[in-house]
Amino acid sequence: MIDDHIHAEIDALKAATGLALRVAPETATARRLRDHADDLIGELGRAGTWPRLRRARQEADRLRAEALDYAHAVMLRGHPLGEDDGPARALARHLCERAGLPGDVEIIASSGPESFTRVADLIRLPPHADVWHLPVLAHELGHYVIHEARHVRAGDERPIRDRAATSPQNELIADCYATYAIGPAYPLSCICLRIDPQELDLAAETHPPWRVRVHTMAEMLHLMSRQHATQQYGGAVESWIRPAWKELTGEDAIDPGGHAVPMPASAILRLLERHLPRARYDAGYGVDGAERVLAGERNVRRSGISPAHVLNAAWRLRRDGRHGPEVNRRAMTLLLEAA
């Protein structure tokens, strides 16, 4: 009886990874899926007992879903509807280039929450995420960065991954990377669109409480200002992030309360400054120019505007009460131009 179950799992896994290989035969992602499936098929073949089969089946279910999602993402690229995710892909390419990493991530539409899955390097986002929700992509991409960023002087060493020993640390590093790479737009998006004020102190097994996460993002911006002798980061905390926090929580201070912080922002900033210095967001002219374009001004000089500038300009306008569909349409167009 158990052999029938094992063979059914193996057949289903082969079918899913086989589809990924057929639609994208030359990609490293499809080969990774196949190699991981081969290892898992060996594990299934050695299961022998129902408890071992149950554990292997859970991993097989995850890998099968990942392979099918990847195949769907590749097939959607060739369909006109696939163009709807163009701005998200452009942002991911920009962030990968700034981090010095290959842009081997796929963006797929999902009915579930945003997430990153490792084998196929998939980022799941809501369908047609608007410009104000797109900053969360930087957090999910942060998980890819954590695993892939190498020390430029030490071959295959991955010092950022080595510091992400627990899931809460991993999540906090991804938060700090998103803040480092796209600036105030990420914490603003979290505060205004993602956090339930009644769940500020809710600690999950994998994620620190939101109170700790936002405190660390704000601290990260203040530290960046001190490190680079500029008010563009810390000033945004006082001008935009702290007022948004007070609107959400009624609290003036952004502090971790009584919660332990898995990693201090200072330690994460040192990692990013040492290993990914080109990834750091720099507002410069770009965010002002992007804001003028999104506000509808014509004849604005667009050289020097990056996708990260577009996200921050959109959030400036939103905090000023200007966040209609026309602003989003202009932002999505400008994201593609700026990539």
Side-chain angles (χ1 to χ4, degrees):
M1 176 68 74
I2 193 171
D3 287 344
D4 293 333
H5 286 259
I6 289 171
H7 290 310
E9 288 296 329
I10 290 173
D11 289 344
L13 191 54
K14 285 181 176 178
T17 54
L19 177 62
L21 282 165
R22 288 198 300 276
V23 300
E26 303 301 323
T27 64
T29 297
R31 291 194 295 272
R32 282 201 306 273
L33 287 164
R34 178 200 60 202
D35 293 345
H36 198 68
D38 287 345
D39 292 341
L40 192 50
I41 286 168
E43 186 177 339
L44 284 163
R46 296 187 297 272
T49 65
W50 290 105
R52 289 182 65 182
L53 174 59
R54 189 176 302 113
R55 289 192 295 272
R57 178 182 281 160
Q58 290 173 347
E59 181 62 24
D61 287 345
R62 285 193 291 270
L63 185 61
R64 189 167 60 247
E66 199 165 344
L68 291 173
D69 283 346
Y70 175 68
H72 294 159
V74 172
M75 289 187 286
L76 189 58
R77 282 195 216 133
H79 191 284
L81 287 175
E83 297 176 1
D84 290 339
D85 290 326
R89 290 198 300 272
L91 176 61
R93 285 196 305 272
H94 166 76
L95 294 174
C96 285
E97 188 277 328
R98 297 295 295 173
L101 299 174
D104 294 334
V105 293
E106 289 289 342
I107 312 294
I108 64 171
S110 173
S111 60
E114 302 91 351
S115 64
F116 171 77
T117 53
R118 178 72 194 118
V119 177
D121 292 334
L122 296 177
I123 294 177
R124 292 179 170 88
L125 293 177
H128 314 154
D130 64 31
V131 69
W132 297 287
H133 285 85
L134 274 182
V136 74
L137 184 152
H139 170 90
E140 300 305 336
L141 188 72
H143 295 298
Y144 172 71
V145 171
I146 287 168
H147 280 273
E148 291 300 320
R150 292 172 172 83
H151 192 301
V152 295
R153 295 183 295 273
D156 200 42
E157 180 189 355
R158 289 176 171 84
I160 300 178
R161 183 185 62 186
D162 293 344
R163 293 298 303 273
T166 67
S167 291
Q169 288 175 340
N170 194 300
E171 293 297 334
L172 211 56
I173 293 173
D175 280 336
C176 286
Y177 164 77
T179 305
Y180 186 77
I182 62 169
Y186 176 64
L188 280 171
S189 183
C190 292
I191 294 168
C192 297
L193 299 177
R194 297 173 59 76
I195 301 175
D196 181 338
Q198 297 184 46
E199 297 181 352
L200 284 177
D201 297 295
L202 187 64
E205 184 178 347
T206 56
H207 290 67
W210 272 115
R211 184 184 297 282
V212 170
R213 296 175 65 181
V214 176
H215 161 76
T216 305
M217 297 173 210
E219 183 66 13
M220 186 79 174
L221 290 168
H222 280 304
L223 289 168
M224 289 166 68
S225 273
R226 290 200 285 273
Q227 177 87 7
H228 296 281
T230 173
Q231 281 303 306
Q232 66 165 299
Y233 306 113
V237 175
E238 304 309 317
S239 298
W240 304 102
I241 295 169
R242 195 182 300 278
W245 177 259
K246 186 170 184 178
E247 288 174 22
L248 178 73
T249 68
E251 300 172 3
D252 289 310
I254 306 175
D255 60 53
H259 301 287
V261 178
M263 279 187 76
S266 57
I268 302 173
L269 179 61
R270 283 195 298 272
L271 282 172
L272 296 175
E273 286 282 313
R274 181 177 180 188
H275 303 296
L276 297 173
R278 287 189 65 246
R280 179 171 51 86
Y281 169 73
D282 186 358
Y285 159 80
V287 71
D288 294 324
E291 184 175 353
R292 291 169 60 196
V293 174
L294 301 192
E297 290 189 33
R298 299 180 182 275
N299 302 319
V300 178
R301 177 169 61 88
R302 301 190 180 201
S303 61
I305 295 176
S306 74
H309 293 140
V310 178
L311 299 183
N312 283 277
W315 267 102
R316 279 192 190 179
L317 292 174
R318 186 183 182 99
R319 292 299 297 165
D320 285 339
R322 294 177 286 173
H323 55 275
E326 188 63 20
V327 172
N328 182 59
R329 185 192 66 77
R330 292 183 188 126
M332 293 307 213
T333 299
L334 188 56
L335 273 169
L336 290 171
E337 291 178 13

